[in-house]
Amino acid sequence: MKKVDLHMHTCASDGTWDVEELKEQLIKSNINIFSITDHDCVDNVKNMENIITPSDNLIFIPGTELTTEYDGREYHLTLYNYDINNKGLMDLINWSNQSKLNSNKEYIGTYAADKYDSISLEDFEKYEYDRKRGGWKSANYMIDKGIHKDVLNHLQEVKESGLKAKLKGPDEVIGIAKKSGGKLFLAHPSYHYRNTTMPEEELKFWLEAGIDGIECFSPYNKDEAQYYIDFCKKNNLMISGGSDCHGNFIPSRKLGVPHAELSDLNIKKLFN
């Protein structure tokens, strides 16, 4: 039995663990095959590769979680075994991160600064926080200023502001990802459908857009994994699974939950 978790985050994006802490937790959780999928980030890929030893009994598959927008909503695509030196992919990652930062600055400088006397863009740009706290700069800034009580409160007000980052569409993101040599999966497909499943028509859109697989085992999918597995088998797609663990930032998401073993998945092409 080989336990698999192909979706997790470190302090390089919005998680709380560094690679040493993550490795320790993986071993404690008896996970054998794993990937780091930081949001639009590959900073901890080589760091993890450098600390794994044969005695750890761990197989590491380099990953990242790319961001795209479709039909006015944000979607995430996990990419594995890409060329980390691929210029197109690195340019995409840098562009996405800069767009998110610009959106955060716009929210702080135009919306929040007008609404709250203690908030200013100048103060925000000087602000620093411990990355191992998890989350992201604008959320932690507004929490530390005593304006927002938690991340959910922050997200709600950002939504009310009507401001959001500009993101590249699926065709461009998937095209760039494919050219990097990696395999691309639709992450947590039930994210926008919390009480149901992603409609088959939308799954077909992602299939035609060029994904290689679907993250069928996910906390968001609840008991609907088989629905996505059946779609993958019918359409010759790979089958993956992951916890979307963020360390202590989102305590409810535990490594290895939902449980997935190598025999439950179809990820042979990730080992080629």
Side-chain angles (χ1 to χ4, degrees):
M1 179 189 80
K2 288 190 179 294
K3 193 173 177 181
V4 183
D5 189 337
L6 296 180
H7 191 155
M8 62 193 70
H9 300 272
T10 72
C11 58
S13 61
D14 56 347
T16 62
W17 295 328
D18 60 27
V19 292
E20 293 278 3
E21 292 166 322
L22 175 57
K23 188 178 90 163
E24 179 182 352
Q25 293 298 325
L26 288 164
I27 293 171
K28 284 183 179 179
S29 301
N30 296 313
I31 292 169
N32 307 105
I33 303 169
F34 76 102
S35 179
I36 292 173
T37 52
D38 282 321
H39 296 285
D40 297 298
C41 176
V42 299
D43 292 355
N44 265 340
V45 168
K46 289 186 177 179
N47 292 335
M48 178 57 81
E49 288 175 337
N50 289 339
I51 65 167
I52 292 177
T53 66
S55 62
D56 294 326
N57 192 31
L58 291 170
I59 297 173
F60 175 52
I61 299 174
T64 186
E65 188 169 21
L66 303 176
T67 315
T68 186
E69 182 173 321
Y70 168 65
D71 201 22
R73 298 192 292 196
E74 181 177 312
Y75 286 80
H76 295 170
L77 303 168
T78 48
L79 178 68
Y80 304 99
N81 273 350
Y82 46 83
D83 176 4
I84 201 169
N85 297 310
N86 181 271
K87 184 178 184 302
L89 179 61
M90 295 304 108
D91 286 347
L92 171 64
I93 285 174
N94 292 334
W95 185 93
S96 296
N97 282 317
Q98 189 59 52
S99 181
K100 292 175 188 177
L101 179 58
N102 290 343
S103 178
N104 288 342
K105 287 182 178 180
E106 185 179 13
Y107 162 75
I108 296 292
T110 61
Y111 185 85
D114 287 346
K115 191 173 181 179
Y116 307 105
D117 292 338
S118 61
I119 301 300
S120 72
L121 181 58
E122 181 181 8
D123 186 47
F124 173 71
E125 291 186 325
K126 293 177 182 177
Y127 171 77
E128 296 181 356
Y129 70 99
D130 182 0
R131 294 296 298 266
K132 292 178 73 174
R133 170 182 176 176
W136 58 99
K137 186 175 180 178
S138 64
N140 287 324
Y141 173 72
M142 294 296 285
I143 291 169
D144 287 349
K145 296 295 276 188
I147 305 295
H148 295 156
K149 64 178 182 179
D150 54 29
V151 170
L152 291 178
N153 185 203
H154 175 71
L155 289 172
Q156 181 60 39
E157 186 171 91
V158 172
K159 183 178 180 180
E160 291 171 0
S161 76
L163 299 169
K164 63 179 183 178
K166 295 178 181 178
L167 299 170
K168 295 185 182 296
D171 286 347
E172 186 170 2
V173 171
I174 292 173
I176 292 170
K178 292 279 193 178
K179 290 179 181 177
S180 76
K183 298 297 183 183
L184 197 66
F185 291 71
L186 176 63
H188 40 61
S190 290
Y191 178 83
H192 292 298
Y193 303 93
R194 300 301 175 91
N195 297 315
T196 181
T197 55
M198 180 180 284
E200 187 170 354
E201 293 75 18
E202 188 173 345
L203 288 173
K204 287 179 179 177
F205 164 80
W206 292 104
L207 170 67
E208 293 169 3
I211 60 169
D212 298 295
I214 295 175
E215 188 177 79
C216 300
F217 295 87
S218 166
Y220 295 100
N221 300 350
K222 298 181 180 178
D223 297 324
E224 301 295 341
Q226 193 61 49
Y227 167 78
Y228 295 112
I229 291 170
D230 290 343
F231 182 86
C232 287
K233 289 182 176 179
K234 180 180 177 181
N235 293 283
N236 197 31
L237 290 173
M238 298 171 69
I239 297 167
S240 74
S243 63
D244 199 10
C245 177
H246 285 65
N248 299 320
F249 179 57
I250 307 177
S252 61
R253 293 190 202 156
K254 306 293 186 183
L255 283 176
V257 179
H259 182 90
E261 297 176 14
L262 184 58
S263 58
D264 298 319
L265 309 179
N266 176 5
I267 56 172
K268 292 178 181 178
K269 293 179 182 177
L270 297 185
F271 300 107
N272 292 341

